[in-house]
């Protein structure tokens, strides 16, 4: 039986009050139902298929515990309030349909894994592709994509959230049943089969996990456990979750453990942890999860707008580096609206700092976009692989009014290719967004499938009114894509790879092959040797790699050539150290003392 389903599987150090939530099948054919409902209204009941309703009365610690004999896996159940409101189990492992349907007692029988001892590559060797399972044809469609990703050089797939959400179409961040895989993409067995297939091809699987909020439809916790939430702090998605409650901590820790244990997911990306107002829980989570999974290599990544180095020091492998993305996006597109306005002044200096130190915002830089407030902590002491670099991801494409990709926004293909080379040949762990490798021009739009017309209209109106999302789009707001329309989902599916797409794939594959052969084996122990701006859009950055070799990148993402300073001309690496150049003319002009427009040069010098 998976530890994620055992009623007595308590993590190290858990208090007696912090008990696991859910329905737990017992060896004798019974099922134990447990729900934390400290403010459960009188008359709340548990309804088990084929049985009369059972009173759901919390004990002194707030838990409802009901043992039902002769209740095997596959049995349907739900909770009901006295006013007739029927509710799924918030820790449901499986739903009989959608979020408002009954929950199902999950089968604890183990899946016959073909590769039970497989381990992902060490973190610093990772190359990630972020994908939306629904747009890829579900888990079966993802399986069919795997050989192409192997050929490309990807070794870690990151799934956007797959926890049960309302309807059949959603980004996943509206989930309300975080333990249950949404069945729109396939069955739980299909998910396990996909992970097994990925492992067979030496590809790991990460999952984007949302622990900071619940979606707007189908969250009943406030009805019987309002103390699950705080009353003094809010987030962009509503009331903040109260991680000071032991039961709440246990709920999310067990949730994370379930995905890693039962589904053998190889890592988690925790969404927007700046909206989790309990840094102690965040700091403790890596240790607690790894203690519960001895012998496993588990990759843990955060998205943290607060830029807190302390989280990375506590055991998270890396953080998504929005600062690097934002300055690169400005250099590629010229955009200054929204948060990009913070990166329009001296962008080359900002880019150099991000390459050398990770974040631009490290506590001492006021943000005009945030009204002059500083954010962040120093990050120069962290290894370069503590940052995930990307030119595109679901947020940065989808949170635009029309979901444009860089192929539509960047005026110069040569400039975009230079930025891609900069990303893939620098030590930070790279992330690609699905379709990026083919040069896709298909938009990635925000989509939902809310059944409630009022909620669908509220989402539609919210998207039209969100200035951060619109990015100063010139089209009338009434003409923006309807998130709830099926056509919006269909329009977001990347087109099949054509001849031009195959050329893009060849470019990515060449760079990732160079990364795998020449950089990945040397990245452990790498450290920055500094970076500097050479011109308005040009930088030089260098790193001492783990084996003592020296990696130096010269990039110019501007339309004008940039002269090299005299001291750099004298110290320029020799031709034998060159590993990549965007074109032969760029190398020739470098030898003559200037960086050509829209170019990148990569030198790797062996240790003396």
């Amino acid at each position: 039986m998976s530890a994620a389903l055992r009623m007595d599987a308590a993590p190290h150090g858990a208090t007696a009050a912090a008990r696991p939530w859910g329905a737990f099948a017992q060896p004798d054919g019974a099922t134990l139902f447990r729900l934390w409902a400290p403010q459960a209204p009188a008359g709340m009941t548990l309804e088990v298929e084929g049985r009369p309703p059972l009173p759901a009365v919390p004990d002194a610690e707030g838990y409802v515990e009901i043992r039902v004999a002769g209740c095997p896996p596959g049995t349907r159940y739900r909770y009901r309030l006295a006013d007739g409101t029927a509710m799924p189990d918030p820790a449901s492992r499986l739903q009989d349909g959608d979020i408002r349907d009954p929950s199902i007692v999950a089968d604890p029988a183990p899946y016959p894994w073909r590769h039970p001892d497989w381990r992902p590559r060490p973190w610093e060797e990772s190359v990630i592709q972020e994908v939306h399972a629904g747009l890829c044809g579900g888990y079966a469609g993802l399986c069919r994509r795997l050989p192409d990703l192997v050929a490309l050089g990807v070794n870690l797939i990151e799934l956007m959230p797959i926890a049960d959400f309302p309807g059949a179409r959603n980004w996943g961040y509206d989930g309300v049943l975080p333990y249950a895989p949404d069945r729109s993409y396939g069955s739980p067995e299909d998910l396990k089969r996909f992970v097994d297939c990925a492992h067979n091809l030496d590809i790991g699987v990460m999952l984007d996990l949302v622990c900071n909020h619940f979606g707007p439809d189908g969250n009943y916790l406030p009805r019987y456990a309002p103390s699950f939430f705080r009353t003094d702090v809010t987030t962009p998605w509503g009331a903040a979750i109260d991680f000071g409650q032991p039961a709440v901590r246990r709920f999310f820790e067990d949730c994370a453990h379930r995905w890693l244990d039962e589904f053998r997911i190889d890592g988690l990306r925790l969404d927007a942890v700046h909206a989790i107002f309990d840094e102690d829980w965040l700091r403790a989570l890596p240790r607690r999860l790894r203690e519960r999974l001895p012998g496993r290599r588990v990759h843990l990544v955060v998205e943290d707008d607060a830029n807190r180095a302390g989280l990375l020091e506590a055991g998270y492998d890396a953080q998504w580096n929005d600062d690097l993305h934002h300055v690169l996006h400005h250099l590629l597109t010229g955009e200054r609206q929204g948060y990009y306005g913070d990166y329009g002044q001296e962008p080359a200096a900002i880019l150099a700092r991000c390459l050398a130190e990770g974040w631009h915002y490290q506590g001492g830089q006021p943000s005009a976009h945030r009204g002059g407030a500083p954010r962040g902590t120093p990050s120069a002491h962290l290894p370069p692989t503590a940052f995930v670099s990307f030119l595109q991801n679901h947020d940065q494409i989808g949170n635009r009014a029309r979901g444009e990709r860089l192929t539509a926004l960047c005026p110069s293909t040569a400039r975009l290719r230079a930025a891609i080379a900069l990303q893939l040949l620098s030590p930070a762990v790279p992330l690609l967004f699905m379709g990026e490798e083919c040069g896709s021009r298909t938009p990635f739009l925000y989509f939902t499938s809310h059944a409630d017309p009022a909620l669908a209209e509220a989402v539609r109106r919210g998207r039209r009114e969100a200035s951060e999302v619109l990015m100063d789009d010139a089209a009338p707001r009434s003409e923006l894509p309807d998130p709830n329309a099926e056509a919006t989902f269909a329009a977001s599916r990347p087109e099949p790879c054509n001849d031009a797409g195959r050329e893009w794939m060849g470019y990515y594959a060449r760079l990732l092959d160079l990364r795998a052969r020449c950089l990945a084996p040397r990245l452990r122990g790498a450290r920055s040797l500094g970076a500097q701006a050479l011109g308005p859009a040009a930088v030089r950055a260098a790193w001492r790699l783990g084996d003592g070799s020296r990696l130096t990148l010269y990039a110019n993402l501007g339309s004008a050539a940039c002269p090299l300073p005299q001291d750099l001309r004298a110290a320029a690496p020799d031709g034998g150290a060159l590993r990549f150049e965007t074109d032969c003319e760029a190398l020739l002009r470098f030898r003559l003392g200037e960086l050509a427009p829209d170019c990148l040069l990569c030198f790797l010098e062996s240790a003396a």
Side-chain angles (χ1 to χ4, degrees):
M1 181 181 295
S2 167
L5 294 180
R6 281 174 32 213
M7 61 166 285
D8 59 345
H12 177 71
T15 66
R19 296 176 244 169
W21 300 43
F24 304 94
Q26 304 297 294
D28 62 359
T31 291
L32 177 70
F33 297 90
R34 185 185 289 120
L35 175 73
W36 190 63
Q39 292 90 26
M44 182 175 170
T45 60
L46 167 67
E47 296 181 351
V48 178
E49 182 180 36
R51 310 290 180 95
L54 300 169
V57 180
D59 60 21
E61 293 172 343
Y63 284 91
V64 171
E65 284 195 4
I66 303 174
R67 192 177 191 279
V68 179
C71 184
T75 301
R76 294 164 178 78
Y77 70 100
R78 68 199 327 170
Y79 293 91
R80 191 178 295 274
L81 298 178
D83 65 5
T85 302
M87 308 175 298
D89 184 346
S92 169
R93 269 67 173 178
L94 182 64
Q95 285 296 103
D96 185 28
D98 206 356
I99 58 168
R100 297 184 183 277
D101 296 312
S103 303
I104 297 176
V105 177
D107 187 350
Y111 175 85
W113 295 98
R114 294 181 296 161
H115 309 282
D117 298 322
W118 186 87
R119 302 179 82 203
R121 306 275 183 89
W123 172 249
E124 62 270 11
E125 298 180 17
S126 299
V127 176
I128 309 169
Q129 183 170 73
E130 184 188 22
V131 303
H132 184 279
L135 292 174
C136 294
Y139 305 127
L142 285 170
C143 283
R144 292 190 292 270
R145 286 172 50 90
L146 289 173
D148 288 340
L149 294 181
V150 172
L152 183 67
V154 169
N155 56 39
L156 193 57
I157 293 175
E158 182 175 312
L159 299 175
M160 289 177 65
I162 59 175
D164 218 335
F165 51 76
R169 305 179 305 275
N170 202 284
W171 273 18
Y173 300 92
D174 287 335
V176 290
L177 300 175
Y179 286 70
D182 195 281
R183 303 186 77 170
S184 299
Y185 309 145
S187 68
E189 289 69 29
D190 292 332
L191 172 57
K192 293 175 182 178
R193 194 173 297 113
F194 160 65
V195 174
D196 212 13
C197 185
H199 290 174
N200 182 57
L201 295 175
D202 206 28
I203 295 181
V205 179
M206 288 187 71
L207 176 64
D208 197 340
L209 188 65
V210 181
C211 299
N212 57 69
H213 75 282
F214 293 89
D217 183 19
N219 174 25
Y220 298 96
L221 279 162
R223 304 284 297 274
Y224 55 85
S227 54
F228 197 99
F229 303 92
R230 294 176 60 165
T231 59
D232 59 332
V233 182
T234 61
T235 76
W237 309 283
I241 293 171
D242 188 358
F243 281 85
Q245 299 280 357
V248 174
R249 289 178 171 232
R250 181 67 190 260
F251 179 86
F252 284 108
E253 182 185 321
D254 283 358
C255 176
H257 178 260
R258 165 174 162 75
W259 293 107
L260 296 168
D261 179 43
E262 183 174 348
F263 293 96
R264 293 201 66 83
I265 298 290
D266 302 293
L268 301 171
R269 179 257 193 193
L270 298 185
D271 175 65
V273 299
H274 47 271
I276 296 176
F277 299 97
D278 190 325
E279 191 167 328
D280 288 344
W281 182 80
L282 283 171
R283 284 174 173 263
L285 187 62
R287 172 183 58 82
R288 293 171 73 90
L289 289 175
R290 289 178 174 128
E291 285 178 351
R292 296 177 69 175
L293 297 162
R296 292 276 302 278
R297 176 179 285 149
V298 175
H299 299 322
L300 299 173
V301 176
V302 291
E303 177 195 24
D304 182 25
D305 189 61
N307 284 0
R308 289 171 289 182
L311 295 182
L312 302 178
E313 295 162 352
Y316 292 97
D317 295 282
Q319 175 180 315
W320 275 26
N321 194 345
D322 279 345
D323 283 353
L324 177 63
H325 168 272
H326 295 348
V327 69
L328 284 171
H329 186 93
H330 165 73
L331 286 167
L332 291 173
T333 68
E335 291 186 344
R336 290 174 176 261
Q337 64 270 28
Y339 42 72
Y340 295 131
D342 279 346
Y343 301 84
Q345 298 295 321
E346 301 184 348
I350 296 175
L351 175 58
R353 188 175 203 207
C354 290
L355 291 171
E357 301 181 13
W359 300 316
H360 170 57
Y361 283 97
Q362 299 184 31
Q365 302 77 28
S367 163
H369 176 67
R370 298 165 190 271
R375 67 183 175 96
T377 60
S379 58
H381 63 290
L382 297 170
T385 52
F387 305 92
V388 176
S389 66
F390 43 85
L391 296 177
Q392 304 180 82
N393 62 36
H394 73 272
D395 271 331
Q396 306 306 337
I397 304 173
N399 281 335
R400 300 180 63 87
R402 300 190 180 277
E404 305 99 326
R405 294 171 179 263
L406 284 176
T407 44
L409 296 171
C410 182
S412 166
T413 299
R415 185 171 306 159
L416 178 55
R417 290 193 172 215
I420 292 166
L422 176 63
Q423 178 204 6
L424 299 186
L425 297 181
S426 63
V429 171
L431 177 142
L432 312 176
F433 186 70
M434 61 177 189
E436 181 180 345
E437 76 282 4
C438 295
S440 175
R441 296 182 69 87
T442 302
F444 178 71
L445 300 164
Y446 183 73
F447 48 80
T448 59
S449 52
H450 293 299
D452 180 354
L455 180 55
E457 175 57 29
V459 171
R460 192 178 300 120
R461 185 173 60 253
R463 294 292 289 183
R464 290 172 180 166
E465 295 174 355
S467 59
E468 198 80 317
V469 168
L470 291 171
M471 290 295 179
D472 290 347
D473 188 86
R477 298 189 177 193
S478 60
E479 296 179 7
L480 297 181
D482 177 2
N484 221 52
E486 187 170 358
T488 302
F489 172 82
S492 301
R493 187 176 290 113
E495 72 272 23
C497 193
N498 54 22
D499 289 344
R502 282 185 282 274
E503 183 180 348
W504 276 103
M505 285 194 71
Y507 184 70
Y508 275 93
R510 178 186 172 196
L511 288 165
L512 290 177
D513 176 67
L514 182 62
R515 183 183 183 90
R517 289 186 294 105
C518 299
L519 296 186
R522 298 176 164 97
L523 288 178
R524 178 166 293 184
R527 59 183 177 84
S528 173
L529 295 175
Q532 63 192 99
L534 303 179
V539 296
R540 170 193 173 275
W543 297 266
R544 181 70 66 193
L545 302 185
D547 67 345
S549 59
R550 180 187 178 104
L551 171 69
T552 308
L553 300 179
Y554 293 83
N556 185 0
L557 302 180
S559 57
C562 173
L564 291 174
Q566 193 61 43
D567 60 329
L568 290 185
R569 295 188 193 187
D574 61 38
L578 181 70
R579 296 303 173 99
F580 183 85
E581 77 278 9
T582 45
D583 59 68
C584 295
E585 182 184 348
L587 178 60
L588 175 62
R589 295 176 71 167
F590 180 80
R591 295 301 179 209
L592 295 175
E594 69 175 13
L595 278 180
D598 302 333
C599 80
L600 178 122
L601 296 161
C602 169
F603 298 92
L604 183 60
E605 304 166 82
S606 299

